[in-house]
Amino acid sequence: MEFVRLGKTGEKLPVLGMGTWNLGADRSAGVLILKEGIRRGMAFIDTAEMYGNEEIVGEAIRGEEKAFIATKVSPQHFSYEGVLRACEGSLKKLRVRQIDLYQLHWPNKRIAIQETMGAMERLADEGKIRHIGVSNFSLMDLKEAQEAMRRYEIVSNQVEYSILSRMPEEALSNYCMAQGITMIAYSPLGQGALYSEKNEGFLSVLADIGERYGKSASQVALNWLISKGNVSAIPKTENPEHLTENLGSIGWRLSEADIKRLDLLR
Ligand code: NAP
């Protein structure tokens, strides 16, 4: 596995983690694929109270010392007491004493960010969470959330980022890079849309580049994200063949010229 630095901490996060949204319709298959991913180095698992599958993740990580668990508190629970309660719920479902990365799922303008971040700091003080992250935060939201904290720094912002979805580029990604904030790229394969007819243009460029490396379009798309240097991508799969394919996106590097070509692909 390759790693990216988690925020300004000395900790290393796998550049390839496992997403779990929609995972678990078949519970035992969900547990099995997560266990297999952990065994092969994708020990970073992303879930959320909203996904309704923290218990499945909890079952998959039992006895797995290397697992790094990220979960998220839902915006409707952003009051001080709400965050504390949601965290207790996640700890119970995951059956862990501590959550590695606790993230605010989306901004919630109806609750003062100071109140929410105060609760996050308390959870960190109490050792219930190890790191504080956010998700779907704009540059302004991110700055406000950081300013609302006194004792901790935000280590990550989880945002939609893929060859198809470039919203985080420029302002947000430059800021994260400068501030040592890790970007966690969700829907890195466009939720599967990468393979749809309407994205044939993207797919053919990815496949064309991949041919020279002996890599598939998905592997090129993931490698391009990882090449950014402060990004960890979290594709979701329940298919063992896709898991193997996604793992093949690391251990090699696209050339600068190919990265540039993909940067300009719109
Ligand atoms: P994604 O990972 O971009 O795409 C998942 C889809 O791609 C699934 O249908 C999967 O099907 C398929 N797939 C995976 N690997 C493939 C491969 N090598 N070749 C072909 N198809 C492949 O989309 P996502 O699930 O939306 O995003 C990943 C994770 O990000 C989520 O699971 C969740 O943890 C997180 N997320 C966070 C937010 C947020 O608001 N913070 C929002 C959305 C997602 P198979 O299962 O059949 O392989």
Side-chain angles (χ1 to χ4, degrees):
M1 183 48 62
E2 294 171 35
F3 297 89
V4 63
R5 201 169 66 155
L6 178 66
K8 290 184 196 138
T9 71
E11 206 163 323
K12 293 189 306 179
L13 189 69
V15 290
L16 211 53
M18 290 188 282
T20 64
W21 184 40
N22 282 335
L23 179 135
D26 178 339
R27 188 183 175 108
S28 54
V31 170
L32 271 184
I33 197 98
L34 293 178
K35 276 196 171 298
E36 175 69 2
I38 295 170
R39 191 184 67 76
R40 297 173 72 178
M42 295 164 93
F44 165 26
I45 305 180
D46 178 72
T47 181
E49 57 166 333
M50 200 180 273
Y51 298 171
N53 62 10
E54 288 176 310
E55 283 172 357
I56 295 175
V57 172
E59 193 176 330
I61 61 169
R62 214 165 317 140
E64 303 282 358
E65 276 172 24
K66 283 196 201 131
F68 180 100
I69 298 308
T71 190
K72 311 182 195 84
V73 49
S74 302
Q76 68 269 29
H77 298 151
F78 280 8
S79 69
Y80 192 86
E81 291 303 326
V83 171
L84 302 185
R85 253 196 316 271
C87 183
E88 287 303 330
S90 290
L91 287 166
K92 224 173 246 152
K93 288 186 185 128
L94 289 163
R95 292 219 246 160
V96 292
R97 284 211 199 101
Q98 193 176 46
I99 291 162
D100 295 299
L101 175 63
Y102 202 41
Q103 306 159 103
L104 303 185
H105 205 146
W106 288 86
N108 179 352
K109 304 286 181 205
R110 281 173 300 174
I111 295 172
I113 191 71
Q114 290 76 8
E115 178 174 344
T116 309
M117 299 321 277
M120 296 292 270
E121 289 203 291
R122 175 164 163 190
L123 289 171
D125 284 343
E126 290 175 349
K128 293 187 173 164
I129 64 176
R130 290 206 302 123
H131 301 292
I132 297 170
V134 293
S135 177
N136 297 300
F137 272 43
S138 69
L139 179 53
M140 207 170 76
D141 297 330
L142 183 56
K143 286 180 178 171
E144 281 174 9
Q146 184 56 67
E147 277 164 20
M149 284 203 292
R150 290 194 219 123
R151 300 183 296 286
Y152 297 93
E153 293 200 28
I154 290 170
V155 298
S156 59
N157 189 9
Q158 182 178 138
V159 289
E160 183 172 2
Y161 193 15
S162 73
I163 200 88
L164 301 177
S165 184
R166 305 298 191 88
M167 185 281 290
E169 288 188 339
E170 306 303 332
L172 185 61
S173 58
N174 289 345
Y175 180 80
C176 286
M177 183 61 96
Q179 297 296 316
I181 295 170
T182 308
M183 301 229 304
I184 299 174
Y186 79 66
S187 305
L189 299 170
Q191 299 188 340
L194 191 56
Y195 317 97
S196 73
E197 220 170 284
K198 87 174 188 328
N199 290 313
E200 259 174 13
F202 287 93
L203 206 55
S204 76
V205 174
L206 291 166
D208 178 51
I209 291 176
E211 213 174 289
R212 280 185 278 113
Y213 298 84
K215 295 290 176 183
S216 70
S218 310
Q219 290 170 333
V220 172
L222 293 173
N223 192 283
W224 170 77
L225 279 172
I226 289 160
S227 75
K228 301 295 169 194
N230 68 334
V231 173
S232 169
I234 50 168
K236 171 261 167 190
T237 186
E238 282 173 89
N239 176 331
E241 282 170 24
H242 287 166
L243 186 82
T244 297
E245 182 178 358
N246 296 345
L247 271 161
S249 65
I250 58 169
W252 59 283
R253 273 283 175 270
L254 284 163
S255 70
E256 284 304 319
D258 286 329
I259 290 171
K260 191 145 268 162
R261 187 173 167 203
L262 291 169
D263 284 344
L264 297 173
L265 189 64
R266 291 291 200 269

